[in-house]
């Protein structure tokens, strides 16, 4: 049996989103599972659609998720180059073979003439087929005209590892362009040659190509190229509707998730669930487990919804598995600048405290800034608090004064603080949702924070009392 070789063959037409990277992940898993190879090939023959920076974006997206390739635009290999625009002589060689065998011809029509033929077909309510208008004596191909494949229409049946048996009648097979007038080949032609020369065994690609497969089959025959295994995963859909995930529909770039601080493990688990499960309801797998379990025969046919809530849940899971030092290292680019004034141990403790609630790393500044800087009093937090807004400002001030009195004699060790806060509840005859919310707002200027005793223990006595006194002063002044 031939060693498994799969490929990811993106066109550099923009940034990768989850749908595209899912195709890459499945192809990568198939290769790793079979101890084969995964190849990256850049399909840039549609010069008009190429976007600057897109190749870098593709490479960075794959690297973020650890989807490594053994041959590609940046790694020479036996079947290179791996950028199609650098392979033009190869395609011309194969095109000439077709011409010699009478299976390709120069297209003599102007655009206007073609449009006319299309209009005619439309008026007669017939599908337009180029092969009905094949020129009797085509001009010799000089490279300035499009070169068309001379098809041999027939009914096809083929097998798709995901979709099962598929078939299409001769009307799906037409004379399509294989080399354009700019000298570049079309995808329809060159992917077949490249997959063959690069010894690709499994062709895993998105559903948009299904209608073209009969045309491809006709060309495989004409070129005497054996068929690879076809596998077509289901479309990736938006979270809230059944439309395909796309840039137009506002799909995020894969790299946006990296910038948000989604860990690669979480992203991989989200992406792999888009059309695959192992027959259980498990949702969390290590990459090694996925490599062992992944099997194209378990890929479902129907569309799969991307789910950002699930992604955040998965990310929280992986964040909580990190120890404080690991989280600290991953957080370098996310911590607020003010954290630089503090030693690493303090910053690590802060991260340790928020770890339970942290869903993605870009949330770190809003969840931690009060540990590193004094924030201006935001009285709205009191005015908009359901319970505190019903209490008079002067009563709130009295509660704060009582809190300072009790806290002043405390050493701010966590256990002693917990006792102290409980005593304070008894003394003031208040509930935590009143007293603790008030102290929380005074010390953090945030409506929510990690548990209060932990928070103020880490802030320390001086800062805690300083901030409470500041709010007292504010309430005095504003009275
Ligand atoms: N270049 C094609 C695209 O980006 C890839 C199709 C394929 O995987 O064969 O849509």
């Amino acid at each position: 049996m031939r060693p498994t070789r799969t490929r990811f063959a993106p066109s550099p037409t923009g940034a990768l989103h989850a749908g595209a990277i899912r195709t890459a992940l499945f192809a990568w898993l198939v290769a790793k599972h079979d101890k084969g190879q995964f190849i990256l090939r850049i399909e840039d023959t549609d010069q008009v659609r190429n976007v600057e920076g897109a190749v870098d974006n593709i490479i960075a997206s794959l690297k973020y998720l650890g989807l490594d390739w053994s041959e590609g635009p940046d790694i020479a290999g036996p079947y290179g180059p791996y950028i199609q625009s650098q392979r033009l002589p190869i395609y011309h060689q194969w095109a000439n073979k077709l011409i010699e065998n009478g299976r390709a011809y120069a297209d003599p029509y102007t655009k206007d003439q073609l449009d006319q033929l299309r209009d005619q077909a439309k008026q007669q309510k017939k599908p337009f087929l180029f092969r009905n208008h094949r020129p009797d004596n085509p001009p010799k191909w000089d490279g300035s005209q499009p070169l068309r494949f001379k098809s041999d229409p027939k009914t096809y049946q083929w097998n798709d590892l995901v979709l099962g048996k598929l078939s299409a009648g001769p009307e799906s097979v037409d004379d399509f362009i294989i080399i354009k007038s700019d000298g570049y080949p079309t995808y329809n032609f060159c992917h077949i040659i490249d997959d063959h020369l690069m010894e690709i065994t499994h062709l895993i690609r998105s559903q948009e190509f299904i209608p073209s497969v009969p045309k491809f089959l006709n060309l495989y025959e004409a070129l005497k190229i054996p068929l690879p295994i076809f596998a077509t995963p289901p479309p990736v859909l938006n979270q809230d509707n059944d439309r395909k995930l796309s840039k137009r529909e506002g799909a995020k770039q894969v790299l946006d998730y990296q910038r948000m601080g989604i860990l690669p493990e979480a992203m991989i688990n989200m992406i792999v669930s888009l059309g695959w499960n192992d027959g259980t309801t498990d949702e969390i797998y290590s990459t090694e487990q996925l490599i062992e379990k992944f099997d194209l025969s378990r890929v479902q046919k129907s569309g799969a919804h991307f789910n950002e809530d699930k992604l955040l849940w998965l990310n929280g899971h992986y964040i909580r598995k990190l120890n404080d030092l690991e989280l600290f290292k991953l957080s370098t680019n996310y911590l607020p600048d003010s954290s630089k004034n503090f030693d690493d141990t303090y910053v690590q403790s802060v991260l340790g405290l928020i770890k339970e609630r942290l869903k993605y790393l870009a949330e770190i500044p809003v969840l931690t800034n009060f540990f590193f800087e004094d924030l201006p009093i935001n009285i709205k937090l009191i005015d908009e608090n359901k319970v505190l807004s019903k209490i008079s400002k002067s009563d709130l001030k009295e509660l704060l004064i009582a809190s300072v009195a009790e806290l002043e004699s405390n050493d701010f060790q966590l256990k002693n603080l917990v006792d102290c806060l409980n005593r304070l509840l008894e003394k003031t005859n208040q509930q935590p949702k009143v007293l603790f919310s008030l102290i929380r707002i005074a010390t953090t200027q945030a409506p929510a924070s990690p548990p209060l005793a932990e928070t103020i223990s880490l802030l320390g006595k001086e800062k805690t009392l300083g901030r409470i006194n500041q709010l007292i002063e504010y309430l005095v002044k504003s009275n």
Side-chain angles (χ1 to χ4, degrees):
M1 233 181 35
R2 290 201 291 159
T4 295
R5 284 172 59 88
T6 64
R7 49 54 161 196
F8 180 47
S11 299
T13 53
L16 287 192
H17 56 68
I21 203 91
R22 196 278 315 265
T23 307
L25 175 62
F26 281 11
W28 184 85
L29 286 170
V30 168
K32 295 282 163 180
H33 178 88
D34 290 356
K35 301 197 170 31
Q37 270 135 14
F38 174 68
I39 286 119
L40 175 61
R41 183 173 76 222
I42 301 297
E43 303 204 322
D44 60 345
T45 60
D46 195 344
Q47 294 285 298
V48 196
R49 294 184 65 221
N50 289 344
V51 168
E52 216 186 297
V55 174
D56 291 341
N57 178 285
I58 290 164
I59 289 185
S61 305
L62 292 166
K63 286 197 169 161
Y64 159 43
L65 297 185
L67 306 183
D68 56 339
W69 50 98
S70 55
E71 296 155 43
D74 54 342
I75 306 174
Y79 310 101
Y82 297 90
I83 300 181
Q84 286 185 326
S85 59
Q86 297 172 8
R87 299 171 62 79
L88 300 188
I90 301 176
Y91 308 129
H92 282 249
Q93 231 175 353
W94 284 78
N96 280 319
K97 259 199 252 182
L98 285 174
I99 295 175
E100 278 160 31
N101 297 339
R103 294 302 303 272
Y105 60 93
D107 172 350
Y109 294 110
T110 63
K111 189 183 167 302
D112 281 352
Q113 287 170 323
L114 262 184
D115 286 347
Q116 246 173 28
L117 293 174
R118 279 206 183 88
D119 283 349
Q120 263 173 28
K122 213 168 158 188
Q123 274 160 20
Q124 294 165 2
K125 298 200 164 55
K126 283 192 199 146
F128 171 75
L129 286 168
F130 194 94
R131 57 177 154 85
N132 292 338
H133 308 280
R134 260 180 215 159
D136 295 329
N137 285 308
K140 189 174 160 30
W141 185 54
D142 63 10
S144 71
Q145 320 95 325
L147 186 69
R148 283 198 185 255
F149 173 55
K150 187 173 176 188
S151 63
D152 171 21
K154 49 179 93 162
T155 294
Y156 278 107
Q157 278 204 341
W158 72 98
N159 193 45
D160 185 289
L161 227 48
V162 175
L163 300 175
K165 286 231 172 318
L166 299 172
S167 63
E171 68 286 353
S172 323
V173 180
D174 195 13
D175 291 4
F176 56 90
I177 294 176
I178 56 179
I179 308 268
K180 294 171 287 182
S181 53
D182 64 2
Y184 282 84
T186 54
Y187 164 79
N188 294 347
F189 179 54
C190 62
H191 85 275
I192 291 179
I193 294 163
D194 285 347
D195 286 344
H196 171 60
L197 294 177
M198 295 177 185
E199 302 197 10
I200 301 304
T201 52
H202 298 63
L203 206 175
I204 301 160
R205 70 176 155 206
S206 65
Q207 282 201 336
E208 65 190 281
F209 297 100
I210 289 285
S212 304
V213 172
K215 285 195 289 199
F216 301 156
L217 294 176
N218 211 240
L219 186 56
Y220 278 104
E221 267 174 28
L223 294 169
K224 299 193 173 54
I225 288 179
L227 295 185
I229 293 167
F230 294 110
T232 310
V236 177
L237 311 174
N238 292 319
Q239 176 150 352
D240 304 318
N241 59 45
D242 285 344
R243 287 195 298 277
K244 249 178 73 178
L245 198 77
S246 69
K247 194 159 72 178
R248 226 177 327 129
E249 292 268 334
K252 280 197 186 120
Q253 299 182 17
V254 171
L255 291 184
D256 285 337
Y257 290 106
Q258 183 182 40
R259 286 187 275 268
M260 248 175 96
I262 299 293
L263 306 185
E265 298 88 337
M267 193 66 181
I268 293 256
N269 274 285
M270 178 61 226
I271 300 283
V272 81
S273 75
L274 296 170
W276 177 85
N277 64 70
D278 71 346
T280 70
T281 51
D282 291 352
E283 309 215 69
I284 291 171
Y285 304 96
S286 68
T287 303
E288 291 70 32
Q289 285 170 324
L290 285 178
I291 290 174
E292 192 199 314
K293 285 169 181 276
F294 191 81
D295 183 350
L296 282 170
S297 70
R298 287 211 58 89
V299 173
Q300 74 194 38
K301 293 183 185 149
S302 54
H305 292 271
F306 190 81
N307 186 333
E308 207 161 297
D309 303 322
K310 178 173 161 180
L311 177 63
L312 293 181
W313 170 78
L314 285 164
N315 206 42
H317 166 85
Y318 283 103
I319 287 176
R320 282 190 292 283
K321 275 178 53 170
L322 301 169
N323 65 37
D324 292 357
L325 180 62
E326 288 166 333
L327 179 57
F328 174 65
K329 285 187 177 155
L330 289 176
S331 303
T332 325
N333 294 329
Y334 298 92
L335 282 160
D337 280 346
S338 48
S339 68
K340 296 202 181 86
N341 306 325
F342 294 82
D343 65 32
D344 290 0
T345 328
Y346 178 76
V347 180
Q348 277 177 42
S349 307
V350 168
L351 290 170
L353 257 194
I354 62 153
K355 194 161 76 179
E356 239 358 83
R357 297 176 51 221
L358 186 61
K359 294 190 292 298
Y360 55 96
L361 303 180
E363 267 189 323
I364 288 176
V366 282
L367 296 179
T368 64
N369 55 4
F370 60 86
F371 282 109
F372 306 118
E373 54 204 273
D374 293 324
L375 301 170
I377 288 172
N378 180 3
I379 204 68
K380 263 196 186 158
L381 291 172
I382 290 180
D383 294 341
E384 286 169 7
N385 180 294
K386 266 214 283 270
V387 192
L388 297 179
S389 57
K390 296 209 182 85
I391 302 174
S392 77
K393 294 284 190 300
S394 112
D395 284 354
L396 291 176
K397 185 190 68 188
E398 291 309 319
L399 282 175
L400 288 168
I401 291 172
S403 308
V404 171
E406 193 69 35
L407 288 164
E408 236 160 12
S409 56
N410 200 278
D411 63 0
F412 273 61
Q413 292 298 311
L414 185 56
K415 165 150 193 335
N416 297 335
L417 266 180
V418 173
D419 294 343
C420 170
L421 289 171
N422 286 333
R423 257 195 322 274
L424 197 55
L425 284 178
E426 275 173 35
K427 280 198 182 162
T428 56
N429 199 19
Q430 286 294 349
Q431 293 184 336
K433 67 177 173 199
V434 174
L435 192 67
F436 291 1
S437 302
L438 182 61
I439 300 176
R440 181 188 310 284
I441 289 173
T443 53
T444 68
Q445 298 303 324
S449 77
L452 185 61
E454 271 97 331
T455 302
I456 61 175
S457 167
L458 190 58
L459 269 177
K461 187 165 176 174
E462 200 187 314
K463 272 204 183 124
T464 302
L465 294 180
R467 289 178 185 182
I468 298 178
N469 279 323
Q470 210 185 353
L471 184 56
I472 294 173
E473 269 171 46
Y474 180 96
L475 293 173
V476 171
K477 274 198 204 133
S478 60
N479 220 331

